[in-house]
Amino acid sequence: YVTGYTSSAATTFPVTVGPDLTQNGGYDAFVAKVNAAGTALIYAGYIGGSNHDSGISIAVDGAGNAYVTGSATSTETTFPVTVGPDLSHNGGITDAFVAKVNAAGTALLYAGYIGGSNSEASSGIAVDAAGHAYITGDTGSTEATFPVTVGPDLTYNGGYRDAFMAKVSLTGASLIYAGYIGGNGNDYGVD
């Protein structure tokens, strides 16, 4: 399973099955599954809108669903938001995004933003046996606009960026927890 980003059009990028077979403008995130022998793509498709959207990290659950996270500059008018956790781009240049692709690669089970009024980027994702996604990255948004809930820390700590950690519900519709990890310097969460 691979994620990344591309400006290649569908005429040259090896799209097959989905989740989206059309390049949407700027850079789109992409998700692909390679067969066990490494000889062919089982699926490959775009996740993106009209601006620059990047897939940075990918995880896979026991059923073969792929979970992709990264950063999105595309707003909800063109980004394929569905279910959540947040269906609106929150401002700044980028919001973190999280998307769950079905095992066949044909559709998004959920896709949405995690962000506040400043910029966010997500750089790591993991999934547990139950199907909860765990996201980490960095944010410049304070608790006034970032969707803090439960913790681990509900207060922005200063500096240019704080790391953040979030747990996404099974359906993708909400955050079970979201909070900061940081001090008064610059802090980044990575895979």
Side-chain angles (χ1 to χ4, degrees), residues 13-99:
F13 195 77
V15 291
T16 179
V17 181
D20 183 354
L21 301 178
T22 304
Q23 205 275 343
N24 298 287
Y27 287 97
D28 275 0
F30 72 85
V31 59
K33 179 180 178 181
V34 180
N35 71 6
T39 57
L41 292 171
I42 294 172
Y43 67 76
Y46 302 106
I47 302 171
S50 61
N51 283 320
H52 298 307
D53 309 303
S54 304
I56 303 298
S57 186
I58 191 167
V60 181
D61 67 18
N65 300 300
Y67 300 72
V68 178
T69 194
S71 61
T73 62
S74 298
T75 68
E76 65 276 7
T77 58
T78 60
F79 194 81
V81 291
T82 180
V83 180
D86 185 347
L87 300 177
S88 298
H89 194 277
N90 296 284
I93 297 171
T94 62
D95 268 3
F97 80 86
V98 59

Coordinates of all heavy atoms in Angstrom, one line a residue, residues 13-99:
F13 N -1.1 8.8 -15.4 CA -1.0 8.1 -14.0 C -1.8 6.8 -14.1 O -2.8 6.8 -14.7 CB -1.5 9.0 -12.9 CG -1.1 8.6 -11.6 CD1 0.1 8.9 -11.1 CD2 -2.0 7.9 -10.7 CE1 0.5 8.5 -9.8 CE2 -1.7 7.5 -9.5 CZ -0.4 7.8 -9.0
P14 N -1.2 5.8 -13.5 CA -1.8 4.4 -13.7 C -3.1 4.2 -12.8 O -3.2 3.3 -12.0 CB -0.7 3.5 -13.3 CG 0.0 4.3 -12.2 CD 0.0 5.7 -12.7
V15 N -4.1 5.1 -13.0 CA -5.3 4.9 -12.2 C -6.0 3.6 -12.6 O -6.0 3.2 -13.8 CB -6.3 6.1 -12.4 CG1 -5.8 7.3 -11.7 CG2 -6.6 6.3 -13.9
T16 N -6.5 2.9 -11.7 CA -7.3 1.7 -11.9 C -8.2 1.4 -10.7 O -7.8 1.5 -9.6 CB -6.4 0.4 -12.1 OG1 -7.2 -0.7 -12.3 CG2 -5.4 0.2 -11.0
V17 N -9.4 1.3 -10.9 CA -10.5 1.0 -9.9 C -10.9 2.3 -9.2 O -12.0 2.7 -9.1 CB -10.2 -0.1 -9.0 CG1 -11.3 -0.4 -8.0 CG2 -9.9 -1.4 -9.8
G18 N -9.9 3.0 -8.5 CA -10.3 4.2 -7.7 C -9.4 4.4 -6.5 O -8.3 3.9 -6.5
P19 N -9.9 5.2 -5.6 CA -11.2 5.7 -5.3 C -11.7 6.8 -6.2 O -12.9 7.0 -6.4 CB -11.2 6.2 -3.9 CG -9.7 6.5 -3.6 CD -9.0 5.5 -4.5
D20 N -10.8 7.5 -6.9 CA -11.2 8.6 -7.8 C -10.3 8.4 -9.0 O -9.1 8.4 -8.9 CB -11.1 10.0 -7.2 CG -11.6 11.1 -8.1 OD1 -11.9 10.8 -9.3 OD2 -11.6 12.2 -7.6
L21 N -10.9 8.4 -10.2 CA -10.1 8.1 -11.4 C -9.7 9.4 -12.2 O -9.2 9.3 -13.2 CB -10.8 7.1 -12.3 CG -11.1 5.8 -11.7 CD1 -11.9 4.9 -12.7 CD2 -9.8 5.1 -11.3
T22 N -10.1 10.6 -11.6 CA -9.9 11.8 -12.2 C -9.0 12.7 -11.4 O -9.2 12.9 -10.2 CB -11.2 12.6 -12.5 OG1 -12.1 11.7 -13.2 CG2 -11.0 13.9 -13.2
Q23 N -7.9 13.2 -12.0 CA -7.0 14.2 -11.3 C -7.8 15.5 -11.2 O -8.4 16.0 -12.2 CB -5.7 14.4 -12.1 CG -4.5 14.8 -11.3 CD -4.5 16.3 -11.0 OE1 -5.1 17.1 -11.7 NE2 -3.7 16.7 -10.1
N24 N -7.8 16.1 -10.0 CA -8.7 17.2 -9.7 C -8.1 18.6 -9.8 O -8.7 19.6 -9.6 CB -9.3 17.0 -8.3 CG -10.1 15.7 -8.2 OD1 -11.2 15.7 -8.8 ND2 -9.6 14.6 -7.6
G25 N -6.8 18.7 -10.0 CA -6.1 20.0 -10.1 C -5.0 20.1 -9.1 O -5.0 19.4 -8.0
G26 N -4.0 20.9 -9.3 CA -2.9 21.1 -8.4 C -2.2 19.7 -8.2 O -2.1 18.9 -9.2
Y27 N -1.9 19.4 -7.0 CA -1.4 18.1 -6.6 C -2.6 17.3 -5.9 O -3.3 17.9 -5.1 CB -0.3 18.1 -5.6 CG 1.0 18.5 -6.3 CD1 1.5 19.9 -6.2 CD2 1.8 17.6 -6.9 CE1 2.7 20.2 -6.7 CE2 3.0 18.0 -7.5 CZ 3.4 19.3 -7.4 OH 4.6 19.7 -8.0
D28 N -2.8 16.1 -6.3 CA -3.8 15.3 -5.6 C -3.0 14.2 -4.8 O -2.0 13.7 -5.2 CB -4.7 14.5 -6.5 CG -5.9 15.3 -7.0 OD1 -6.0 16.4 -6.6 OD2 -6.7 14.7 -7.8
A29 N -3.5 13.9 -3.6 CA -3.0 12.7 -2.9 C -3.4 11.5 -3.8 O -4.4 11.6 -4.6 CB -3.7 12.6 -1.5
F30 N -2.7 10.4 -3.6 CA -3.1 9.2 -4.3 C -2.9 8.0 -3.3 O -2.2 8.1 -2.3 CB -2.3 8.9 -5.6 CG -0.9 8.5 -5.4 CD1 -0.5 7.2 -5.1 CD2 0.2 9.4 -5.5 CE1 0.8 6.8 -4.9 CE2 1.5 9.1 -5.3 CZ 1.8 7.7 -5.0
V31 N -3.6 7.0 -3.6 CA -3.5 5.7 -2.8 C -3.5 4.6 -3.8 O -4.2 4.6 -4.8 CB -4.7 5.6 -1.8 CG1 -6.1 5.6 -2.5 CG2 -4.6 4.4 -0.9
A32 N -2.6 3.6 -3.5 CA -2.5 2.5 -4.4 C -2.2 1.2 -3.6 O -1.5 1.3 -2.6 CB -1.3 2.8 -5.4
K33 N -2.6 0.1 -4.2 CA -2.3 -1.2 -3.6 C -1.7 -2.0 -4.7 O -2.2 -2.2 -5.8 CB -3.6 -1.9 -3.2 CG -3.4 -3.3 -2.6 CD -4.7 -3.9 -2.1 CE -4.5 -5.3 -1.6 NZ -5.7 -6.0 -1.2
V34 N -0.5 -2.6 -4.3 CA 0.3 -3.4 -5.3 C 0.0 -4.9 -4.9 O 0.0 -5.2 -3.7 CB 1.8 -3.1 -5.1 CG1 2.7 -3.9 -6.1 CG2 2.0 -1.6 -5.4
N35 N -0.1 -5.7 -5.9 CA -0.3 -7.1 -5.6 C 0.9 -7.7 -4.9 O 2.0 -7.2 -4.9 CB -0.7 -7.9 -6.9 CG 0.5 -8.1 -7.9 OD1 1.6 -7.8 -7.6 ND2 0.2 -8.7 -9.0
A36 N 0.7 -8.9 -4.3 CA 1.8 -9.5 -3.5 C 3.0 -9.8 -4.2 O 4.1 -9.8 -3.7 CB 1.2 -10.8 -2.8
A37 N 2.9 -10.1 -5.5 CA 4.1 -10.4 -6.3 C 4.8 -9.1 -6.8 O 6.0 -9.2 -7.3 CB 3.7 -11.2 -7.6
G38 N 4.2 -8.0 -6.6 CA 4.8 -6.7 -7.0 C 4.7 -6.5 -8.5 O 5.4 -5.6 -9.0
T39 N 3.9 -7.2 -9.2 CA 3.8 -7.1 -10.7 C 2.7 -6.3 -11.2 O 2.7 -6.0 -12.4 CB 3.7 -8.6 -11.2 OG1 2.5 -9.1 -10.7 CG2 4.9 -9.4 -10.9
A40 N 1.8 -5.9 -10.4 CA 0.6 -5.1 -10.9 C 0.0 -4.3 -9.8 O 0.1 -4.6 -8.6 CB -0.4 -6.0 -11.5
L41 N -0.8 -3.3 -10.1 CA -1.6 -2.5 -9.2 C -3.0 -3.2 -9.1 O -3.6 -3.5 -10.1 CB -1.8 -1.1 -9.7 CG -0.5 -0.2 -9.7 CD1 -0.8 1.1 -10.4 CD2 -0.1 0.0 -8.2
I42 N -3.4 -3.4 -7.9 CA -4.8 -3.9 -7.6 C -5.7 -2.7 -7.7 O -6.8 -2.8 -8.3 CB -4.9 -4.6 -6.3 CG1 -4.0 -5.9 -6.4 CG2 -6.3 -4.9 -5.9 CD1 -3.9 -6.6 -5.1
Y43 N -5.3 -1.6 -7.2 CA -6.0 -0.3 -7.4 C -5.1 0.8 -7.3 O -4.0 0.7 -6.7 CB -7.2 -0.2 -6.4 CG -7.0 0.0 -5.0 CD1 -6.5 1.2 -4.4 CD2 -7.2 -1.1 -4.1 CE1 -6.2 1.3 -3.1 CE2 -7.0 -0.9 -2.7 CZ -6.5 0.3 -2.2 OH -6.3 0.4 -0.9
A44 N -5.5 1.9 -7.9 CA -4.7 3.2 -7.7 C -5.7 4.3 -8.1 O -6.4 4.2 -9.1 CB -3.5 3.2 -8.7
G45 N -5.7 5.3 -7.3 CA -6.6 6.4 -7.6 C -6.3 7.7 -6.7 O -5.4 7.6 -5.9
Y46 N -7.0 8.7 -7.0 CA -6.7 10.0 -6.4 C -7.6 10.3 -5.2 O -8.7 9.7 -5.1 CB -7.0 11.1 -7.4 CG -6.3 11.1 -8.7 CD1 -6.9 10.7 -9.9 CD2 -4.9 11.5 -8.8 CE1 -6.2 10.7 -11.1 CE2 -4.2 11.5 -10.0 CZ -4.8 11.1 -11.1 OH -4.2 11.1 -12.3
I47 N -7.1 11.1 -4.3 CA -7.9 11.7 -3.2 C -7.5 13.2 -3.2 O -6.4 13.5 -2.8 CB -7.6 11.1 -1.8 CG1 -7.8 9.6 -1.8 CG2 -8.4 11.8 -0.7 CD1 -7.3 8.9 -0.6
G48 N -8.4 14.0 -3.7 CA -8.0 15.4 -3.7 C -9.1 16.3 -4.3 O -10.2 15.9 -4.8
G49 N -8.8 17.6 -4.2 CA -9.6 18.7 -4.8 C -8.9 19.5 -5.7 O -7.8 19.1 -6.3
S50 N -9.3 20.8 -5.9 CA -8.7 21.6 -6.9 C -7.4 22.3 -6.6 O -6.7 22.8 -7.5 CB -9.7 22.8 -7.3 OG -10.0 23.5 -6.1
N51 N -7.0 22.2 -5.3 CA -5.7 22.8 -4.9 C -4.7 21.6 -4.6 O -4.8 20.6 -5.2 CB -5.9 23.7 -3.7 CG -6.4 25.0 -4.1 OD1 -6.1 25.6 -5.1 ND2 -7.3 25.5 -3.3
H52 N -3.7 21.9 -3.8 CA -2.7 20.9 -3.5 C -3.0 20.1 -2.3 O -3.2 20.6 -1.2 CB -1.3 21.6 -3.3 CG -0.8 22.4 -4.4 ND1 -0.7 21.8 -5.7 CD2 -0.4 23.7 -4.6 CE1 -0.2 22.7 -6.5 NE2 -0.1 23.9 -5.9
D53 N -3.1 18.8 -2.5 CA -3.4 17.8 -1.4 C -2.4 16.7 -1.4 O -2.1 16.2 -2.5 CB -4.8 17.3 -1.6 CG -5.8 18.4 -1.8 OD1 -5.9 19.3 -0.9 OD2 -6.5 18.5 -2.9
S54 N -1.8 16.4 -0.3 CA -0.7 15.4 -0.2 C -1.0 14.3 0.7 O -1.4 14.5 1.9 CB 0.5 16.1 0.3 OG 0.8 17.2 -0.5
G55 N -0.9 13.0 0.3 CA -0.9 11.9 1.1 C 0.5 11.7 1.7 O 1.5 11.7 1.0
I56 N 0.6 11.6 3.0 CA 1.9 11.5 3.7 C 2.1 10.1 4.4 O 3.2 9.6 4.4 CB 2.0 12.6 4.7 CG1 1.9 14.0 4.1 CG2 3.4 12.5 5.4 CD1 2.9 14.3 3.0
S57 N 1.1 9.6 4.9 CA 1.2 8.3 5.7 C 0.0 7.4 5.4 O -1.1 7.9 5.2 CB 1.4 8.6 7.2 OG 1.7 7.4 7.9
I58 N 0.2 6.1 5.5 CA -0.8 5.1 5.2 C -0.7 4.0 6.2 O 0.3 3.6 6.7 CB -0.7 4.6 3.8 CG1 -2.0 3.8 3.4 CG2 0.5 3.9 3.5 CD1 -2.1 3.6 1.9
A59 N -1.9 3.4 6.6 CA -2.0 2.2 7.4 C -3.1 1.4 6.9 O -4.0 1.9 6.2 CB -2.3 2.6 8.9
V60 N -3.1 0.1 7.2 CA -4.1 -0.9 6.7 C -4.6 -1.7 7.9 O -3.8 -2.1 8.7 CB -3.4 -1.8 5.6 CG1 -4.5 -2.7 5.1 CG2 -2.8 -0.9 4.5
D61 N -5.9 -1.9 7.9 CA -6.5 -2.7 9.0 C -6.6 -4.2 8.5 O -6.2 -4.5 7.4 CB -7.9 -2.2 9.4 CG -9.0 -2.3 8.4 OD1 -8.9 -3.0 7.4 OD2 -10.0 -1.6 8.5
G62 N -7.0 -5.0 9.4 CA -7.1 -6.5 9.1 C -8.0 -6.9 8.0 O -7.9 -7.9 7.4
A63 N -9.0 -6.0 7.7 CA -9.9 -6.3 6.6 C -9.4 -5.7 5.2 O -10.1 -5.9 4.2 CB -11.3 -5.7 6.9
G64 N -8.3 -5.1 5.3 CA -7.7 -4.5 4.0 C -8.2 -3.1 3.7 O -7.8 -2.6 2.6
N65 N -8.8 -2.4 4.6 CA -9.2 -1.0 4.4 C -7.9 -0.2 4.6 O -7.2 -0.4 5.5 CB -10.2 -0.6 5.3 CG -11.5 -1.3 5.2 OD1 -12.1 -1.4 4.1 ND2 -11.9 -2.0 6.3
A66 N -7.7 0.8 3.7 CA -6.5 1.6 3.8 C -6.9 3.0 4.4 O -7.9 3.5 4.1 CB -5.9 1.9 2.4
Y67 N -6.1 3.5 5.3 CA -6.3 4.7 6.0 C -5.2 5.7 5.6 O -4.0 5.4 5.8 CB -6.2 4.6 7.5 CG -7.3 3.6 8.1 CD1 -7.2 2.3 7.8 CD2 -8.4 4.1 8.8 CE1 -8.2 1.4 8.3 CE2 -9.4 3.3 9.2 CZ -9.3 1.9 9.0 OH -10.2 1.1 9.5
V68 N -5.5 6.8 5.0 CA -4.5 7.8 4.5 C -4.7 9.1 5.2 O -5.8 9.6 5.5 CB -4.8 8.0 3.0 CG1 -3.8 9.0 2.4 CG2 -4.7 6.7 2.2
T69 N -3.5 9.7 5.5 CA -3.5 11.0 6.1 C -2.5 11.9 5.5 O -1.5 11.4 4.8 CB -3.3 10.9 7.7 OG1 -3.6 12.2 8.3 CG2 -1.9 10.6 8.0
G70 N -2.7 13.2 5.6 CA -1.7 14.1 5.0 C -2.2 15.5 5.2 O -2.9 15.8 6.2
S71 N -2.0 16.4 4.2 CA -2.4 17.8 4.3 C -3.3 18.1 3.0 O -3.0 17.7 1.9 CB -1.3 18.7 4.4 OG -0.4 18.6 3.3
A72 N -4.2 19.0 3.2 CA -5.1 19.4 2.2 C -5.3 20.9 2.2 O -5.6 21.5 3.2 CB -6.5 18.8 2.3
T73 N -5.0 21.5 1.0 CA -5.3 23.0 0.8 C -6.7 23.1 0.1 O -7.2 24.2 0.2 CB -4.2 23.7 0.0 OG1 -4.1 23.1 -1.3 CG2 -2.9 23.6 0.7
S74 N -7.2 22.1 -0.4 CA -8.5 22.2 -1.1 C -9.6 22.3 0.0 O -9.6 21.6 1.0 CB -8.8 20.9 -2.0 OG -7.8 20.8 -3.0
T75 N -10.6 23.1 -0.3 CA -11.7 23.3 0.6 C -12.7 22.2 0.3 O -12.6 21.5 -0.7 CB -12.3 24.7 0.5 OG1 -13.0 24.8 -0.8 CG2 -11.3 25.8 0.7
E76 N -13.8 22.2 1.1 CA -14.8 21.2 1.0 C -15.6 21.4 -0.3 O -16.4 20.5 -0.7 CB -15.8 21.2 2.2 CG -16.6 22.5 2.3 CD -15.8 23.7 3.0 OE1 -14.6 23.5 3.3 OE2 -16.5 24.7 3.3
T77 N -15.5 22.5 -1.0 CA -16.2 22.6 -2.3 C -15.6 21.7 -3.4 O -16.4 21.3 -4.3 CB -16.1 24.1 -2.8 OG1 -14.7 24.4 -3.0 CG2 -16.8 25.0 -1.9
T78 N -14.4 21.2 -3.2 CA -13.8 20.3 -4.2 C -13.2 19.0 -3.6 O -13.0 18.0 -4.3 CB -12.8 21.0 -5.1 OG1 -11.7 21.5 -4.3 CG2 -13.4 22.1 -5.9
F79 N -12.8 19.1 -2.3 CA -12.2 17.9 -1.7 C -13.3 16.9 -1.4 O -14.4 17.3 -1.0 CB -11.5 18.3 -0.4 CG -10.6 17.3 0.2 CD1 -9.3 17.1 -0.4 CD2 -11.0 16.4 1.2 CE1 -8.5 16.1 0.1 CE2 -10.2 15.4 1.7 CZ -8.9 15.3 1.2
P80 N -13.1 15.6 -1.5 CA -14.2 14.6 -1.4 C -14.5 14.3 0.0 O -14.5 13.2 0.5 CB -13.6 13.4 -2.1 CG -12.1 13.5 -1.9 CD -11.8 15.0 -1.9
V81 N -15.0 15.3 0.8 CA -15.4 15.1 2.2 C -16.6 14.2 2.2 O -17.5 14.4 1.4 CB -15.6 16.4 3.0 CG1 -14.3 17.1 3.2 CG2 -16.6 17.3 2.3
T82 N -16.6 13.3 3.1 CA -17.8 12.4 3.3 C -17.7 11.9 4.8 O -16.6 11.4 5.2 CB -17.8 11.3 2.3 OG1 -19.0 10.5 2.6 CG2 -16.6 10.4 2.3
V83 N -18.7 12.0 5.5 CA -18.8 11.6 6.9 C -18.1 12.4 7.9 O -18.6 12.9 8.9 CB -18.5 10.1 7.1 CG1 -18.6 9.6 8.5 CG2 -19.3 9.2 6.2
G84 N -16.8 12.6 7.7 CA -16.0 13.4 8.6 C -14.6 13.0 8.8 O -14.1 12.2 8.0
P85 N -13.9 13.4 9.9 CA -14.5 13.9 11.1 C -14.9 15.4 11.1 O -15.8 15.8 11.9 CB -13.3 13.7 12.1 CG -12.1 13.6 11.3 CD -12.5 13.0 10.0
D86 N -14.4 16.2 10.2 CA -14.9 17.5 10.0 C -15.1 17.7 8.5 O -14.2 17.5 7.7 CB -13.9 18.5 10.6 CG -14.3 20.0 10.6 OD1 -15.3 20.3 9.9 OD2 -13.7 20.8 11.2
L87 N -16.2 18.3 8.1 CA -16.5 18.4 6.7 C -16.2 19.8 6.1 O -16.5 20.0 5.0 CB -18.0 18.1 6.5 CG -18.5 16.7 6.9 CD1 -20.0 16.5 6.7 CD2 -17.7 15.6 6.1
S88 N -15.6 20.6 7.0 CA -15.3 22.0 6.5 C -13.8 22.3 6.7 O -13.2 22.0 7.8 CB -16.1 23.0 7.3 OG -17.4 22.9 7.1
H89 N -13.2 22.8 5.7 CA -11.8 23.3 5.8 C -11.8 24.5 6.7 O -12.6 25.3 6.7 CB -11.3 23.7 4.4 CG -9.8 23.9 4.3 ND1 -9.2 25.0 4.7 CD2 -8.8 23.0 3.9 CE1 -7.9 24.9 4.6 NE2 -7.6 23.7 4.1
N90 N -10.8 24.5 7.7 CA -10.9 25.4 8.8 C -10.1 26.7 8.7 O -10.1 27.5 9.6 CB -10.5 24.6 10.1 CG -11.5 23.5 10.4 OD1 -12.6 23.8 10.9 ND2 -11.1 22.3 10.0
G91 N -9.3 26.9 7.6 CA -8.5 28.1 7.4 C -7.1 27.8 7.4 O -6.6 26.6 7.4
G92 N -6.3 28.8 7.5 CA -4.8 28.6 7.3 C -4.6 28.2 5.9 O -5.5 28.2 5.0
I93 N -3.4 27.7 5.6 CA -3.1 27.2 4.3 C -3.6 25.8 4.1 O -4.2 25.4 3.1 CB -1.6 27.3 4.0 CG1 -1.2 28.8 4.0 CG2 -1.2 26.7 2.6 CD1 0.3 29.1 3.9
T94 N -3.3 24.9 5.1 CA -3.6 23.5 5.0 C -4.3 23.1 6.3 O -4.1 23.6 7.4 CB -2.3 22.6 4.9 OG1 -1.5 22.8 6.0 CG2 -1.6 23.0 3.6
D95 N -5.2 22.1 6.1 CA -5.7 21.3 7.2 C -5.2 19.9 7.1 O -4.9 19.4 5.9 CB -7.3 21.2 7.1 CG -8.0 22.3 7.9 OD1 -7.3 23.1 8.4 OD2 -9.2 22.2 7.9
A96 N -5.0 19.2 8.2 CA -4.7 17.8 8.1 C -6.0 17.1 7.6 O -7.1 17.6 7.7 CB -4.4 17.2 9.5
F97 N -5.8 16.0 6.9 CA -7.0 15.2 6.5 C -6.8 13.7 6.8 O -5.7 13.3 7.0 CB -7.3 15.3 5.0 CG -6.5 14.5 4.0 CD1 -6.8 13.2 3.7 CD2 -5.3 15.0 3.5 CE1 -6.0 12.4 2.9 CE2 -4.6 14.3 2.6 CZ -4.9 13.0 2.3
V98 N -7.9 13.0 7.0 CA -7.9 11.6 7.2 C -8.9 11.0 6.3 O -10.0 11.5 6.2 CB -8.0 11.2 8.6 CG1 -9.4 11.7 9.2 CG2 -7.9 9.7 8.8
A99 N -8.6 9.9 5.6 CA -9.5 9.2 4.7 C -9.4 7.7 4.9 O -8.3 7.2 5.1 CB -9.3 9.6 3.3

